[in-house]
């Protein structure tokens, strides 16, 4: 018997999935196998033990099914509850499917990096449902920002702004700035609004894979690694949002996307 191993495995299972009867049976079966394995294994160091434990937990995660939701009010409520509880929910936007987590919860944001295999110094975009929500992320809202929000929010524009201290640096990739967007998609806006928190959501694919434009694409990559997928229509734009840095004297495009420099220049009359 290995009480530490068994307790950590059970905690990991509870943390990464919503336990249903067949999942409990699967976890129980795995624990029997792991107990036999641990009796015949000598841990040479705590580091080796932790490494082996991570491998086993990863193995268990692969046998768990990701929950599939539709777009009804009840489905949105369930998805929002998962997000508030620190889980991962993929959802449609007008650009690509996003992998959402509570962006103000460092532990939840960290799960996104783990699920995607994404480097932890790669900042994530926080998605909001109302412009007033920007106030919990930054206290620097300039006239240029207001102009661009009037022109392109909701829509495929992400603004990089100075972050307030309460924004977790896990979410920002360790930077003192935060990327913020208001998506132009009714399901995304409903999910964000119902959750009551800004949603950190990079594209819902494994790192290095194409950005997903359908719920099936998400399942192909992340089934068993995230808590749920909200299955909406295919994304209309199909490429990520344009990221524009608003922290300098002049706005600067950091990542090209649907919106072009000409679009911004026209909106700002420059």
């Amino acid at each position: 018997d290995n009480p530490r191993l068994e307790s950590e495995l059970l905690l990991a299972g509870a943390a990464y999935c919503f336990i249903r009867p067949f999942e409990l049976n699967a976890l129980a079966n795995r624990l029997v196998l792991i107990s036999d394995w641990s009796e015949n294994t000598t841990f040479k160091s705590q580091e080796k033990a932790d490494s082996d434990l991570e491998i086993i937990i990863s193995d268990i995660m692969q046998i768990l099914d990701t929950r599939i939701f539709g777009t009804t009010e009840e489905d949105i409520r369930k998805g929002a509850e998962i997000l508030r509880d620190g889980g991962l929910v993929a959802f449609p936007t007008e650009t690509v499917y996003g992998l959402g987590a509570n962006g103000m919860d460092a532990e939840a944001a960290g799960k996104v990096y783990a699920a995607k295999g994404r480097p932890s110094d790669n900042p994530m975009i926080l998605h909001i449902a109302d412009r007033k929500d920007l106030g919990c992320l930054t206290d620097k809202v300039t006239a240029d920002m207001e102009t661009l929000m009037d022109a392109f929010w909701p829509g495929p524009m992400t603004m990089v702004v100075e972050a307030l201290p309460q924004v977790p640096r896990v979410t920002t990739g360790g930077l003192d700035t935060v990327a913020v967007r208001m998506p132009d998609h009714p399901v995304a806006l409903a999910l964000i609004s119902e959750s009551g928190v800004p949603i950190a959501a990079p594209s819902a694919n494994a790192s290095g894979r194409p950005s997903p434009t359908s719920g099936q694409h998400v399942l192909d990559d992340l089934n068993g690694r995230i808590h749920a997928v909200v299955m909406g229509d295919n994304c209309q734009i199909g490429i990520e949002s344009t990221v524009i840095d608003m922290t300098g004297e002049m706005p600067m495009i950091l990542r090209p996307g649907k919106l072009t420099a000409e679009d911004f220049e026209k909106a700002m009359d420059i």
Side-chain angles (χ1 to χ4, degrees), residues 148 157-160 242-246 251-254 264:
L148 293 182
M157 176 189 71
T158 295
M159 294 191 304
V160 175
T242 304
V243 178
I244 185 165
D245 184 359
M246 303 301 295
M252 179 175 64
I253 292 178
L254 300 180
F264 292 120

Side-chain angles (χ1 to χ4, degrees), residues 221-239:
D221 264 12
L222 300 178
N223 189 28
R225 301 174 68 177
I226 63 177
H227 295 83
V229 179
V230 176
M231 302 287 280
D233 294 335
N234 290 354
C235 303
Q236 294 183 343
I237 294 177
I239 59 174

Side-chain angles (χ1 to χ4, degrees), residues 126-162:
L126 283 177
H127 292 65
I128 60 176
D130 194 296
R131 277 172 60 165
K132 72 178 188 312
D133 297 332
L134 188 62
C136 71
L137 305 175
T138 185
D139 58 3
K140 301 285 180 63
V141 179
T142 66
D144 285 344
M145 290 169 60
E146 294 280 6
T147 296
L148 293 182
M149 286 188 285
D150 287 341
F152 301 119
W153 272 9
M157 176 189 71
T158 295
M159 294 191 304
V160 175
V161 299
E162 294 184 23

Side-chain angles (χ1 to χ4, degrees), residues 4 19 39 44-45 59 72 87 104 131 160 168 190 234 247-248:
R4 172 186 171 275
I19 301 298
E39 288 178 359
K44 296 183 179 180
S45 67
D59 185 27
T72 66
M104 304 304 283
R131 277 172 60 165
V160 175
N234 290 354
T247 63

Side-chain angles (χ1 to χ4, degrees), residues 14 65 68 71 86 98-99 107 111 143 150 161 168 175 202 204-205 245 262:
D65 288 337
I68 298 176
T71 59
L99 177 55
E107 182 177 352
K111 294 177 185 177
D150 287 341
V161 299
L175 302 177
N205 56 289
D245 184 359
E262 290 75 18

Side-chain angles (χ1 to χ4, degrees), residues 90-93 95-98 204-205 210-221 229-236 238:
F91 60 94
T93 76
T95 55
V96 299
Y97 268 71
N205 56 289
S211 297
T213 56
S214 73
Q216 186 57 52
H217 292 163
V218 177
L219 290 172
D220 290 343
D221 264 12
V229 179
V230 176
M231 302 287 280
D233 294 335
N234 290 354
C235 303
Q236 294 183 343

